[in-house]
Amino acid sequence: MSALRLVIFDVDGTLVDSQADIVAAMTHAFARAGREAPSRDTILSIVGLSLDRAIAFLAPDLPPEIQSRMVEWYKDAYVALRAEIGAAQSSPLYPGAREVLEALHAQPETLLGVATGKSRRGLDKLLEGHGLERMFITQQVSDHHPSKPHPSMIRAALAETGLEPHQAVMIGDTSFDMEMAAAAGVTGIGVGWGYHPREALGAARYVIESFDALPPLLQQIWETAA
C-alpha cells in the first residue's frame, strides 16, 4: 500500500472567511434582478453549492435566464470586491490555517488538495492573494463538476493522485462537504468555525473546533488506517 495520503480542503468557511464578500455579491445580484436579497444566514446556508445551484435555491421562482444572469452578476461583483481590497484582506485565512497548511505540505507523504464551489477564476485569485499557488497538488472547482454533495470532485482528486478512498480525508464546514465525503467513501472532518452549524455536520466522522486540532487527528486517522 502506498504511504501517500491526501488531505482535501474546502475553501470558503474552512480555509478562508469570505462571508462578507459572498453576502455583498449575492445582495448585488438580487438587486440587479429587482429582488430583495435573502437574509445573511440564508445566503451563508448555501455556501458550498455551485453558484448556479445556490441561486436556483435562493430564487426558485425566477426564470432560468434570470438565474443565469444572476450568476454572472454575482461573479462580477465578487471579482470587483476582491480587486478593491485584495483577497488576503477580503477573504482572510482562519487562525492557524497557514501554519497547518505549511506543516502538512512539508510532509513528503502528505498531498494537499482543494474541492470548492468556487470557479477556476475565483480560486486562482484567492490562492494568488494568499501566496498559496503551489500548495495544492489537486484543485477541483465548480467549472468541471456537478455541485456538492455529488462525489465527483473527490473522485477526481483521488484519480489525479492515484490514491484510494481510505488514504484520503475531506475537511469542510458544510453539510454538503461531509455528504460528499461520505458518498466518495473518504473520512469527513467537519470544522466548527464555518457557515453551517455543528448539528448540520451529521455525515462527518469527526468535528474539530480549531486548526491546531487537525494534525493530531490526521495522525490518529492514518495510524488507524495503516
Side-chain angles (χ1 to χ4, degrees), residues 140-165:
Q140 307 304 323
V141 295
S142 64
D143 307 58
H144 311 303
H145 296 282
S147 178
K148 300 175 184 180
H150 192 284
S152 175
M153 290 187 185
I154 293 179
R155 288 174 177 167
L158 292 172
E160 286 183 6
T161 55
L163 299 184
E164 298 296 326

Side-chain angles (χ1 to χ4, degrees), residues 19-215:
Q19 61 178 295
D21 283 353
I22 290 170
V23 172
M26 193 64 76
T27 299
H28 172 82
F30 269 82
R32 290 287 303 272
R35 289 291 187 92
E36 182 177 349
S39 69
R40 184 185 194 88
D41 287 347
T42 301
I43 292 173
L44 293 179
S45 74
I46 54 79
V47 173
L49 293 176
S50 297
L51 194 51
D52 56 344
R53 280 197 60 189
I55 287 177
F57 177 84
L58 294 175
D61 58 322
L62 289 177
E65 58 269 21
I66 299 299
Q67 292 178 355
S68 295
R69 290 181 188 175
M70 289 177 70
V71 168
E72 297 308 315
W73 293 333
Y74 175 98
K75 289 180 179 179
D76 291 344
Y78 198 92
V79 169
L81 289 165
R82 181 68 52 79
E84 191 174 329
I85 59 176
Q89 189 172 346
S90 67
S91 294
L93 288 164
Y94 282 103
R98 184 179 297 278
E99 293 79 2
V100 168
L101 286 174
E102 290 176 349
L104 293 175
H105 188 253
Q107 299 173 359
E109 69 277 16
T110 301
L111 308 177
L112 300 182
V114 293
T116 176
K118 285 185 174 299
S119 66
R120 178 80 264 169
R121 178 176 68 162
L123 180 62
D124 286 348
K125 290 292 186 182
L126 182 73
L127 296 181
E128 178 184 354
H130 285 288
L132 299 175
E133 302 97 312
R134 296 180 177 85
M135 190 71 71
F136 302 103
I137 192 169
T138 178
Q139 300 176 13
Q140 307 304 323
V141 295
S142 64
D143 307 58
H144 311 303
H145 296 282
S147 178
K148 300 175 184 180
H150 192 284
S152 175
M153 290 187 185
I154 293 179
R155 288 174 177 167
L158 292 172
E160 286 183 6
T161 55
L163 299 184
E164 298 296 326
H166 69 274
Q167 296 172 282
V169 299
M170 174 70 206
I171 302 162
D173 69 305
T174 72
S175 59
F176 312 124
D177 297 313
M178 296 302 97
E179 290 164 9
M180 176 175 67
V186 309
T187 297
I189 302 175
V191 305
W193 56 80
Y195 302 149
H196 280 195
R198 186 185 179 109
E199 56 266 26
L201 305 178
R205 190 84 56 87
Y206 306 93
V207 178
I208 58 174
E209 297 297 336
S210 64
F211 258 105
D212 59 10
L214 183 58

